[in-house]
Amino acid sequence: MEERLLKFFIAVYEEKNLTRAANKCFVSQPNISNGIKLFESKMNCTLFKRHQRGVEPTNKAHYLYPIAKRILNELNDLPNIFTKSAFKNEVKIGIADSLPQEYKLQFIKKVNELNSNVFWTVNHCNENNEINLLVKEWKKEEDLFLPLWQEDYLLCIPNGHKLLAKNEIDLVADLKDENFIHCPPCEAHKQCISILNFANKTINTVGNCSTKTETLTLLMAGLGLTFLPEYFIDGWYGFETRPYKGPRYYREVGLAYSRHSLQNPAIAKTINYFSKNKLKANKFNNFGYYFKP
C-alpha cells in the first residue's frame, strides 16, 4: 500500500471535497480523484459516494479512517524511532529473588530520579541483562561488581519458643536438638550450615525450601529456627531475632555489569552515582505497622 494513497484517502475523508483535499495534499484534483479510484480498487470496495457538492464517506470509509490515520502516523514516526528520548534511557535489568522490597524500590526510584523517561525491562538475573542486582556470590566472574548494601544473617526464632527467654543465644550450649529450616539452593544455606557446624551440635531439619521467601513462611508458621538476612525479614511477624555467640556472616548485594554496559548512558550515570553515594532505605518501623495476631 502506497503512503500517498493513505494521505489521499484521509484528506478526502476529512474535507468531504476532492478540490479541497487536492489543495491539502498539494496535487491536482484529477490526481487525487485517480488516486482514490486506485485506492478503492486495492481495497476492493467503494469508500465514497460522489455527488454535486462533494463526496460522502461510506460505512466502510468510517471504519477504515482511524486505522489509516494510525498507520500513517506510525509511518511518519518511523524515522525518529531510535532518536526519541524515551529510548535513550532504556534499562534492561535482572533482579534476584529474595532481596528486600524496600531496598529494591529505593534503588528503582533513585535510578528514575537520575535519568528521565526510563523504560524498564525487568527479568530474572541472567547474562542477557545489561545489569543485574544480586548477591555478590552469584555474579559472573568476568563482571564488575558495585556493592549497594550489606546485611547480616540473623538468628530467627518463632514466637513462643523457649529460647526467646534468653537475651543472647550460645550456639554451643543452646542449639542442641533444635528444629531448623534450611534453604539449600541459596547462599543462606551455606552460611547457616557454617554457623551450625561451629556449634558442633545435632539439629533436626524440619524443612528444605527452594527460596528465602518460603523459608520465611515456614519460620512464621512456627516450624523451627533459621538464619535469614536482616533487611529481608524487616517488617514481618511471627518470630523474633536474638544475637548469638559465634561467627558473623553477612551477604553483600550490589550491581553486576560488564564494561560494555557502561555504553548505556542511564547505566553509566547510575554506576557513577552509587560509586559515590550510599543507597538509602527505610526500616519498617520508620514508615509502617502491622497487625500481630
Side-chain angles (χ1 to χ4, degrees):
M1 183 64 65
E2 297 179 47
E3 181 181 348
R4 69 182 184 92
L5 297 182
L6 286 175
K7 291 180 178 179
F8 288 173
F9 165 72
I10 291 170
V12 173
Y13 181 93
E14 293 176 345
E15 299 297 331
K16 309 294 190 293
N17 182 279
L18 291 175
T19 300
R20 291 197 298 269
N23 292 335
K24 189 174 185 178
C25 294
F26 302 101
V27 296
S28 65
Q29 191 272 338
N31 194 323
I32 205 166
S33 180
N34 291 333
I36 291 298
K37 290 179 182 178
L38 177 59
F39 188 60
E40 288 178 321
S41 174
K42 288 180 176 292
M43 297 301 297
N44 197 28
C45 66
T46 299
L47 296 171
F48 299 101
K49 294 179 181 178
R50 279 75 170 172
H51 51 75
Q52 289 183 344
R53 291 175 297 177
V55 296
E56 186 69 27
T58 65
N59 287 337
K60 291 182 178 179
H62 290 311
Y63 179 82
L64 181 61
Y65 173 73
I67 299 174
K69 285 281 287 187
R70 176 180 58 79
I71 293 173
L72 188 60
N73 287 336
E74 289 179 352
L75 285 172
N76 290 335
D77 286 343
L78 198 59
N80 301 319
I81 191 170
F82 296 115
T83 59
K84 289 183 177 181
S85 60
F87 285 89
K88 291 181 179 178
N89 290 322
E90 181 175 4
V91 175
K92 188 174 183 181
I93 186 172
I95 299 181
D97 293 330
S98 302
L99 298 183
Q101 193 68 21
E102 170 66 10
Y103 277 78
K104 290 189 293 184
L105 75 88
Q106 294 299 341
F107 170 76
I108 296 294
K109 285 175 64 175
K110 177 54 66 175
V111 175
N112 265 0
E113 290 175 11
L114 295 171
N115 305 278
S116 60
N117 300 321
V118 177
F119 179 82
W120 293 90
T121 300
V122 183
N123 305 304
H124 293 296
C125 291
N126 62 65
E127 60 186 16
N128 296 321
N129 298 314
E130 294 176 293
I131 194 167
N132 288 290
L133 178 62
L134 43 62
V135 178
K136 184 177 182 180
E137 285 77 9
W138 299 347
K139 82 175 189 71
K140 295 189 336 185
E141 184 176 353
E142 63 270 24
D143 279 351
L144 302 172
F145 183 78
L146 177 64
L148 295 182
W149 75 86
Q150 281 187 3
E151 51 185 327
D152 287 335
Y153 285 100
L154 303 183
L155 177 60
C156 304
I157 305 171
N159 288 349
H161 196 285
K162 64 181 186 296
L163 288 180
L164 292 178
K166 293 177 172 288
N167 293 324
E168 185 179 57
I169 305 301
D170 188 317
L171 296 185
V172 176
D174 295 329
L175 295 188
K176 182 179 180 181
D177 297 327
E178 289 294 341
N179 293 336
F180 259 81
I181 307 163
H182 294 290
C183 182
C186 64
E187 91 291 341
H189 179 68
K190 296 178 182 178
Q191 307 283 7
C192 181
I193 292 299
S194 297
I195 294 173
L196 295 175
N197 285 340
F198 171 84
N200 194 28
K201 293 291 181 180
T202 303
I203 59 167
N204 301 318
T205 299
V206 295
N208 284 323
C209 302
S210 60
T211 68
K212 292 184 185 67
T213 301
E214 300 311 324
T215 305
L216 176 62
T217 300
L218 268 60
L219 167 67
M220 294 172 66
L223 272 64
L225 288 67
T226 193
F227 290 94
L228 283 171
E230 177 182 4
Y231 304 140
F232 173 71
I233 62 173
D234 185 39
W236 292 103
Y237 59 88
F239 62 93
E240 296 181 33
T241 63
R242 288 290 185 272
Y244 60 87
K245 295 179 181 178
R248 170 184 176 256
Y249 287 94
Y250 64 91
R251 69 175 182 175
E252 194 169 33
V253 182
L255 300 172
Y257 59 96
S258 67
R259 296 186 186 277
H260 177 76
S261 296
L262 295 176
Q263 296 179 15
N264 182 329
I267 291 178
K269 189 177 293 186
T270 298
I271 295 299
N272 180 62
Y273 175 85
F274 284 114
S275 298
K276 303 173 183 176
N277 299 277
K278 183 180 179 181
L279 175 62
K280 296 179 181 180
N282 298 303
K283 294 285 285 183
F284 187 82
N285 289 337
N286 296 338
F287 64 90
Y289 67 91
Y290 54 79
F291 171 73
K292 290 187 177 182

